[in-house]
Every structure is written in structure tokens, then in C-alpha cells.
């Protein structure tokens, strides 16, 4: 299996090379030349641990690593950094199952992939005898940044630079990043939103002149965003693992179909579920949940993707995105792997701010249902689910919960359903405390404590000591200064 670009103008790469490089040289995204089949019988799945499932998935997609290498990465990543021994947890809430993906060090699902990406990257660097220092660039809507910093802090042979939108992430998210320790970590706020940060990073990747300059300093750039295939594939594992767990718990029969609801921003997490289906998992509908920035809802319902619309800062900031990068990978697969077509669509998006799918591709979107929840609906969902079930949702998972509600009302579909629980409610304490009807304090930490006091749910250890930590990063720049900032950091 090789890795090729969605836009067709880059040479084939080994999986190791694709992980080191991050983005293809023609600005496309790397995709596997074929999606592997699940390498075991479905009936075996319920017997496997998280580590076993993750190893199987990674070995299937990354054949250039040995079994020993993959297992070493898996066991180094998924260890006591996670506060749950099964790494992920499934909680029944009303008639759905919440797949809690936030038991890692930074209390959001980004830990699931960013705990392992540095290990995959350093293993790949060794295997390819890469002599250059790798500088990881990440644009973040709040959660990727901290998870990438934790993952790459003090990793030999790497620097990590994170760009986040100033005043557009939650207070806890910001404090998590600005207090980051490590001799190779750099955190920079930019004036703009997540799309500005992500486009800036993509432009830097496409800058041949900069690449040459850095090469002369023995430095190569790579990505920690879900545009990196090494970030995306580890996420396939938890959907497959959780299916086995539902069978084991007697909640479904082996072979029975399930729906998966995902609160979506960059389309990475939901694409990982789709890859699970392509591997042969009995997944039925993928329910794509958006907030008020509902560009994906409109796309799934009409086939037209348009960013010619207002951008909103919402109470689910990690989904405040208009340019959803990984959609490009889905389009590639449903276009019959037509890289010319994908190139044209992406050029229209860049030039005209929109594109429309040709008719034959519209049917292929049938696996997906799209809808959105307003900020008010998000708040009432948090308070209702707390009252009815004593389960505390974060704002992103609440968006997904509400959208599932709409799906059920519209379709009457009773298929067993799991929701990707993407963050601890404490990361968004201000919005959560407001939703529960209490006064919001100026001080984000007071709100965290109030949430704990009022609900009895415990603040995760990783967030509890945040207030005492020194602020080590405070740079704010204009977005057109990103490239110069990188040069300054690396020289
Ligand atoms: C990143 C993030 C999302 C969106 O995930 P994508 O892979 O970008 O679709 C949703 N919720 C939370 C809490 C996140 O951090």
C-alpha cells in the first residue's frame, strides 16, 4: 500500500514518508491507495483490548512499520497518561451510548491521536534515516494545540509551533497552551479565526522558497493537524474497539449495524468512522453535527459547499470552522478516486469560495446525515441531559446530542447509536455553568470549581492544577507574520 495525494500531482510515498511530510507537495492530502479490510473476524473483536485493536488498525494502514514498532508506539502512547484503564469509556445516556474520548492528558479527544503521533513520527524518522530536524506546525481551534504540545514537548529532533486564534478559544484551552513547558515548544496567538490559522499553515507548507531555506538549516516542516494521515488513522481504532465493547456488553448482536454521531469541525473524526466502515465495519449512518457555523450541514443537504457566509464565534469553539480540510479526503473516495475533479473543486473553493458536486457524487453522500444545533439549543441540551440523566455534556458533545435528537425525530430510525464524546465539560466550564443556570464568573477557574460543586462531577487532574502554573507564552501576531515568526523561532 502506498500513499497518494488527493490532487494527483505528487509522487507515491511510503506510509513512513507520508507521516513525516504531513501534507502532499501539491497541497493535497495523503490517502492510502486502498482501504485495508479489517484483518480479523468481526466476532473476535469483543475479546480484544484497546491496544490490540489499535495495533491491528495501525498495522493495516501503515505496512512500512514492523509489528514490534507499531506495538511499541501503541503501548508508549496509551498508558497511565490516560485516567481510564480501557483508554476510552462507554457511558449509556438515555437511549444513546456516549463514547468518552477525553480521558487523556488534555481532556479532549485530540489526545487519542496526538499521544501516538510523536511515536509514529520519531519511529518513521529513524526508519527513513531522516537527518533533518522536524518542525511540527499546528493550527488549532483550541484542543489540537495543547494535545500536540503535550505529545511533542521535549521529543528529540523536533520543534513544535502552535498557532491559535486570539480571543477565540475557551479560557481553559488558552491557559492550557500558554502554560506549556518544554524546551522545543512555541505557542503563538494570531489575530484571526481558526480558518486564518489553518490557511496560513497550509500556505507555509506550500512555500517552496521557505522549504529550501529551511532545508539549508537541516529543518523540515510537518503537520500535527488531522491533515496528517498519522493523526487520522489512530482515530479509526476507537470506533472499531467500541463496536466490540457494545457486543461484549450485550447491547448489540455481532453484525448488527450502528449509527455514529460526531460533532464535526475539520471532518477528521467523522472521516475516521467512515474509514471504519470502508474496512468492513457494520456502520450505518454517520450523523454529522455542526454548530451555527453549519457549512457542512448545508453541504450534506445540497451538495454545495460555500464559505461565502458569516463566521460565528460560538460556545463550541473547537468547531468554529468554515474550511473543513478532511472533506477533501471523503470527496476523493466518493468521486471514484478522480484527483483531477478534486483539484478542480479545491481550486474553486480557493478562488470562488464555493463548489458544487457533480450529480453522480450526490448519491454517495447517502451515508451521511447533516444537521446543526444553535448555541441556545446546546445550552438547553446540557441542562436537560443533566436533569434527566445526571450526565454532564461538554458543549461539543451537546451539539451532537441535539442533532441526534433531530435525526431521530425526522427519521424514526431506532438503530443503536453512539455519540463521539469529544471533550470534558470542564474545558468549557463557562458555557456549562451558564447552561445549568448559575452565574458565570469572570474567572474561568472559579467556574470550573462551581461546576464541580454543583454537579459532584470531578475536575480532571490535568485541569485542576492549571491555575497555579506560570504563563510561559504570550506572543500575539498578525496572521501575515506567521512565516517570519517561524523563521525567527528556527534561526
Ligand atoms: C477538534 C474538536 C472537534 C472537531 O473534530 P474534527 O476532527 O475537527 O471534526 C469537536 N469537538 C472537540 C471538543 C474538539 O476538540
Amino acid at each position: 500500500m502506498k500513499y497518494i495525494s488527493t490532487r494527483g500531482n505528487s509522487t507515491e510515498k511510503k506510509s513512513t514518508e507520508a507521516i513525516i511530510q504531513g501534507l502532499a507537495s501539491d497541497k493535497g492530502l495523503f490517502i492510502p491507495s486502498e482501504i485495508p479490510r479489517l484483518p480479523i473476524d468481526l466476532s473476535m473483536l469483543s475479546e480484544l483490548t484497546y491496544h490490540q485493536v489499535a495495533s491491528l488498525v495501525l498495522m493495516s494502514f501503515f505496512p512500512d512499520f514492523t509489528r514490534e514498532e507499531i506495538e511499541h508506539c501503541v503501548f508508549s502512547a496509551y498508558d497511565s497518561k490516560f485516567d481510564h484503564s480501557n483508554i476510552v469509556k462507554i457511558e449509556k445516556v438515555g437511549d444513546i451510548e456516549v463514547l468518552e474520548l477525553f480521558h487523556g492528558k488534555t481532556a479532549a479527544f485530540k489526545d487519542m491521536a496526538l499521544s501516538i503521533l510523536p511515536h509514529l513520527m520519531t519511529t518513521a524518522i529513524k526508519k527513513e534515516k531522516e537527518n533533518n530536524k522536524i518542525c511540527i506546525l499546528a493550527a488549532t481551534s483550541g484542543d489540537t494545540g495543547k494535545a500536540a504540545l503535550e505529545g511533542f514537548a521535549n521529543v528529540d529532533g523536533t520543534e513544535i509551533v502552535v498557532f491559535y486564534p486570539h480571543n477565540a478559544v475557551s479560557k481553559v484551552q488558552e491557559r492550557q497552551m500558554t502554560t506549556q513547558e518544554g524546551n522545543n515548544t512555541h505557542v503563538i496567538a494570531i489575530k484571526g479565526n481558526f480558518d486564518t490559522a489553518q490557511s496560513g499553515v497550509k500556505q507555509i507548507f506550500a512555500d517552496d522558497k521557505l522549504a529550501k531555506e529551511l532545508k539549508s538549516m537541516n529543518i523540515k516542516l510537518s503537520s500535527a493537524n488531522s491533515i496528517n494521515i498519522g493523526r487520522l488513522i489512530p482515530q479509526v481504532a476507537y470506533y472499531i474497539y467500541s463496536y466490540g465493547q457494545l457486543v461484549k456488553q450485550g447491547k448489540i448482536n455481532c453484525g448488527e449495524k450502528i449509527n455514529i454521531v460526531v460533532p464535526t469541525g475539520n471532518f477528521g473524526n467523522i472521516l475516521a468512522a467512515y474509514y471504519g466502515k470502508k474496512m468492513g465495519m457494520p456502520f450505518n449512518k454517520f450523523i454529522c453535527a455542526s454548530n451555527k457555523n453549519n457549512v457542512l450541514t448545508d453541504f450534506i443537504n445540497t451538495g454545495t459547499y460555500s464559505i461565502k457566509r458569516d463566521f460565528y464565534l460560538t460556545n463550541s469553539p473547537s468547531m468554529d470552522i468554515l474550511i473543513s480540510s478532511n472533506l477533501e479526503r471523503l470527496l476523493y473516495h466518493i468521486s471514484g478516486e478522480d484527483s483531477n475533479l478534486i483539484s478542480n473543486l479545491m481550486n474553486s473553493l480557493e478562488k470562488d469560495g464555493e463548489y458544487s458536486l457533480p450529480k453522480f457524487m450526490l448519491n454517495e453522500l447517502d451515508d451521511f446525515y447533516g444537521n446543526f444545533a444553535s448555541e441556545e439549543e446546546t445550552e438547553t441540551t446540557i441542562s436537560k441531559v443533566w436533569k434527566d440523566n445526571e450526565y454532564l455534556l461538554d458543549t461539543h458533545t451537546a451539539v451532537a446530542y441535539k442533532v441526534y435528537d433531530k435525526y431521530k425525530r425526522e427519521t424514526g430510525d431506532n438503530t443503536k447509536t453512539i455519540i463521539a464524546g469529544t471533550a470534558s465539560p470542564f474545558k468549557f466550564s463557562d458555557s456549562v455553568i451558564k447552561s445549568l443556570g448559575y452565574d458565570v464568573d469572570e474567572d474561568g477557574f472559579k467556574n470550573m470549581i462551581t461546576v464541580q460543586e454543583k454537579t459532584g462531577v470531578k475536575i480532571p487532574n490535568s485541569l485542576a492544577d492549571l491555575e497555579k502554573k506560570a504563563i510561559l507564552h504570550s506572543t500575539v501576531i498578525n496572521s501575515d507574520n506567521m512565516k517570519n515568526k517561524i523563521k525567527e523561532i528556527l534561526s
Side-chain angles (χ1 to χ4, degrees):
M1 180 199 302
K2 291 288 180 200
Y3 279 79
I4 50 182
S5 166
T6 45
R7 302 197 193 176
N9 280 318
S10 150
T11 49
E12 289 185 348
K13 300 280 177 190
K14 290 191 278 183
S15 50
T16 38
E17 295 169 326
I19 291 170
I20 295 173
Q21 199 177 317
L23 194 69
S25 55
D26 59 358
K27 293 211 265 179
L29 307 187
F30 283 118
I31 25 151
S33 52
E34 66 202 278
I35 306 282
R37 299 294 295 178
L38 191 68
I40 52 155
D41 198 78
L42 200 58
S43 62
M44 303 269 295
L45 208 51
S46 53
E47 302 304 315
L48 301 187
T49 63
Y50 193 84
H51 297 87
Q52 288 170 320
V53 174
S55 300
L56 282 177
V57 169
L58 291 168
M59 278 190 290
S60 304
F61 277 95
F62 300 150
D64 306 291
F65 293 80
T66 66
R67 168 187 282 270
E68 288 70 30
E69 286 165 344
I70 291 288
E71 286 178 348
H72 176 74
C73 291
V74 165
F75 281 93
S76 310
Y78 304 122
D79 61 6
S80 60
K81 291 193 286 299
F82 286 77
D83 68 11
H84 194 262
S85 56
N86 292 344
I87 310 304
V88 298
K89 198 169 158 197
I90 302 174
E91 283 278 345
K92 185 169 161 49
V93 181
D95 60 356
I96 56 107
E97 306 284 335
V98 176
L99 170 58
E100 293 186 350
L101 301 170
F102 48 80
H103 290 281
K105 237 186 150 176
T106 76
F109 88 91
K110 304 296 199 292
D111 289 322
M112 298 304 301
L114 283 164
S115 312
I116 194 163
L117 179 63
H119 296 287
L120 293 169
M121 182 85 72
T122 47
T123 308
I125 287 171
K126 257 188 229 136
K127 288 177 79 74
E128 295 304 323
K129 305 197 170 46
E130 175 69 59
N131 296 321
N132 296 301
K133 180 178 236 187
I134 304 291
C135 175
I136 309 288
L137 301 186
T140 183
S141 55
D143 289 327
T144 286
K146 178 60 181 180
L149 289 161
E150 274 298 328
F152 281 99
N154 296 323
V155 170
D156 278 347
T158 70
E159 292 288 320
I160 162 106
V161 186
V162 166
F163 295 101
Y164 73 94
H166 195 221
N167 296 331
V169 300
S170 84
K171 286 187 187 117
V172 174
Q173 286 177 316
E174 178 165 50
R175 188 68 79 97
Q176 278 185 304
M177 291 189 277
T178 56
T179 56
Q180 178 66 46
E181 293 162 11
N183 56 24
N184 63 340
T185 62
H186 310 274
V187 178
I188 293 150
I190 63 152
K191 294 178 192 157
N193 58 39
F194 171 75
D195 290 316
T196 325
Q198 176 157 262
S199 301
V201 165
K202 279 189 176 173
Q203 244 168 42
I204 289 167
F205 281 126
D207 189 328
D208 294 333
K209 198 166 149 255
L210 177 68
K212 277 203 193 101
E213 269 176 66
L214 294 178
K215 189 91 200 282
S216 71
M217 296 153 67
N218 292 321
I219 297 170
K220 252 191 189 176
L221 298 176
S222 188
S223 164
N225 286 98
S226 51
I227 54 178
N228 192 322
I229 195 74
R231 157 85 193 271
L232 191 64
I233 299 303
Q235 296 180 219
V236 179
Y238 46 73
Y239 293 111
I240 297 180
Y241 172 76
S242 61
Y243 186 89
Q245 292 302 298
L246 291 180
V247 173
K248 188 172 181 172
Q249 295 169 11
K251 288 170 175 162
I252 53 170
N253 296 316
C254 185
E256 189 177 330
K257 285 193 170 180
I258 61 166
N259 294 328
I260 299 178
V261 193
V262 186
T264 311
N266 230 349
F267 212 78
N269 205 9
I270 195 165
L271 187 75
Y274 174 79
Y275 276 5
K277 181 169 185 166
K278 299 243 331 152
M279 291 181 82
M281 292 299 296
F283 296 160
N284 184 41
K285 284 275 181 190
F286 303 109
I287 298 166
C288 178
S290 300
N291 65 22
K292 196 176 177 189
N293 295 296
N294 56 357
V295 59
L296 284 165
T297 308
D298 290 346
F299 171 70
I300 289 169
N301 292 319
T302 65
T304 295
Y305 193 97
S306 173
I307 59 169
K308 292 193 283 189
R309 57 173 72 219
D310 290 333
F311 172 85
Y312 303 102
L313 292 175
T314 73
N315 56 11
S316 46
S318 302
M319 293 153 69
D320 290 342
I321 294 175
L322 290 183
I323 306 172
S324 194
S325 289
N326 279 292
L327 191 60
E328 181 170 344
R329 286 191 168 108
L330 177 72
L331 297 180
Y332 178 83
H333 295 298
I334 67 172
S335 69
E337 310 185 346
D338 184 346
S339 51
N340 269 333
L341 175 61
I342 302 307
S343 267
N344 291 338
L345 295 178
M346 293 304 132
N347 285 339
S348 317
L349 184 63
E350 216 165 284
K351 264 200 4 256
D352 311 325
E354 64 181 359
Y355 61 79
S356 293
L357 293 190
K359 272 225 171 66
F360 80 94
M361 280 171 77
L362 290 177
N363 292 340
E364 301 292 325
L365 284 178
D366 281 354
D367 278 346
F368 291 85
Y369 167 90
N371 213 328
F372 72 103
S374 69
E375 291 192 271
E376 203 184 352
E377 285 173 327
T378 306
E379 287 178 5
T380 50
T381 300
I382 291 172
S383 86
K384 183 169 184 340
V385 170
W386 175 250
K387 276 200 201 99
D388 293 351
N389 308 90
E390 289 217 350
Y391 187 85
L392 197 57
L393 294 167
D394 91 281
T395 48
H396 305 74
T397 314
V399 166
Y401 201 97
K402 182 66 196 178
V403 167
Y404 176 60
D405 222 36
K406 295 183 181 183
Y407 170 79
K408 261 190 81 156
R409 266 167 224 253
E410 259 175 51
T411 63
D413 180 8
N414 278 324
T415 306
K416 190 83 191 164
T417 298
I418 59 175
I419 290 192
T422 50
S424 156
F426 289 97
K427 286 195 98 164
F428 307 94
S429 296
D430 304 22
S431 304
V432 169
I433 204 72
K434 176 163 178 256
S435 308
L436 296 178
Y438 300 105
D439 290 339
V440 184
D441 201 280
E442 271 295 295
D443 178 345
F445 297 99
K446 280 225 180 83
N447 293 325
M448 222 155 52
I449 289 161
T450 315
V451 172
Q452 176 169 273
E453 277 172 7
K454 299 292 182 190
T455 64
V457 182
K458 244 191 118 248
I459 300 174
N461 289 338
S462 56
L463 300 181
D465 63 350
L466 208 51
E467 194 178 5
K468 293 183 217 100
K469 287 195 168 166
I471 293 184
L472 303 172
H473 307 270
S474 56
T475 310
V476 185
I477 63 169
N478 282 320
S479 62
D480 51 11
N481 248 334
M482 288 168 67
K483 180 171 147 183
N484 287 337
K485 193 75 205 170
I486 287 169
K487 285 204 228 173
E488 184 192 312
I489 287 169
L490 295 175
S491 58

